[in-house]
Amino acid sequence: VAFDGRLSAPGQVCNITVDNYDGGVQMGTHFREQGYTRALCVTDSRTAVDGERVQGFRSALGGRTVELLEAPTESQARRQFYESHLDQLRSYRAIFALSDACAAELMVFLQEKGLRVPEDLAVAGFDDSPLCRQVYPPLTSVRQDQGERARCAVELLQRFKAGAEAAETITLPVTLVKRRSTVGRLQQRWGRLYP
């Protein structure tokens, strides 16, 4: 049993993944509803799942501009990268980081540079990890149900132990969780804050 596996010949491997494309669609739709017409996707990974997230995000924004910025994977190098791309980051009003860790780190960096989230720049992530509620403002994210993934994995392993042989891919749904990091100024004035 694999999580997010990309196997050309799966054999007896079952792959459990989430609907990364739909997660991107949900985030792009949310940004569009908030009035954002262009956005930046930031990643520190070249995985296939990140590509699916970007494709979904782009499709939801229609013909609007979505640019991809690939940051280094090492923390110190990533911070230097953000420093060297600060003007580019400032030129956007909305950023979709393709993981919560990347989003939270980027949000802190932007706040250190005097940018207010979400008033100057909306920031969102993917995974809905506990980190989303530990940063300020709380981070909008796409939730993937880790408990359900684990339950599916255990069920598949039990089926294999009982003699099942069919390989399959299970794609689990995701859900957008709206929080304050992407709420527009007008919504804040009228008191419609998200948790």
Side-chain angles (χ1 to χ4, degrees):
V1 175
F3 287 137
D4 295 327
R6 294 294 184 262
L7 308 167
S8 58
Q12 292 301 317
V13 176
C14 282
N15 182 35
I16 302 173
T17 189
V18 298
D19 196 339
N20 292 289
Y21 181 86
D22 185 55
V25 168
Q26 290 181 46
M27 189 63 74
T29 301
H30 172 62
F31 275 25
R32 190 181 67 237
E33 290 170 350
Q34 294 296 310
Y36 302 117
T37 57
R38 41 187 307 263
L40 181 65
C41 286
V42 176
T43 183
D44 61 0
S45 170
R46 281 187 168 257
T47 65
V49 297
D50 281 4
E52 293 168 5
R53 294 170 187 178
V54 171
Q55 288 174 354
F57 187 69
R58 282 185 170 142
S59 73
L61 287 177
R64 293 163 177 87
T65 305
V66 175
E67 187 178 347
L68 180 63
L69 187 63
E70 187 179 341
T73 56
E74 196 274 317
S75 181
Q76 182 79 16
R78 197 167 42 248
R79 181 166 180 89
Q80 292 170 349
F81 179 84
Y82 292 151
E83 287 279 356
S84 67
H85 288 80
L86 183 57
D87 289 340
Q88 182 181 10
L89 294 168
R90 285 182 198 250
S91 72
Y92 284 86
R93 289 266 303 119
I95 295 177
F96 177 29
L98 302 180
S99 73
D100 290 339
C102 184
E105 182 183 70
L106 180 58
M107 190 165 66
V108 168
F109 171 81
L110 294 168
Q111 290 169 331
E112 288 172 358
K113 298 301 177 183
L115 292 164
R116 298 168 301 155
V117 177
E119 295 86 355
D120 299 324
L121 188 65
V123 178
F126 200 106
D127 298 322
D128 195 38
S129 67
L131 186 59
C132 293
R133 292 167 295 288
Q134 296 168 351
V135 294
Y136 186 82
L139 186 65
T140 293
S141 188
V142 176
R143 175 177 294 151
Q144 50 178 311
D145 189 338
Q146 299 295 352
E148 180 63 11
R149 286 178 89 167
R151 188 197 64 72
C152 283
V154 169
E155 182 181 303
L156 287 167
L157 290 170
Q158 289 171 339
R159 284 174 32 198
F160 287 155
K161 186 176 179 182
E165 294 185 15
E168 63 182 300
T169 295
I170 297 172
T171 303
L172 300 174
V174 294
T175 307
L176 178 68
V177 180
K178 300 174 186 176
R179 295 192 182 92
R180 292 183 184 144
S181 69
T182 59
V183 175
R185 284 179 282 194
L186 290 176
Q187 288 176 311
Q188 287 182 352
R189 279 192 206 136
W190 293 102
R192 291 171 51 201
L193 289 175
Y194 293 99

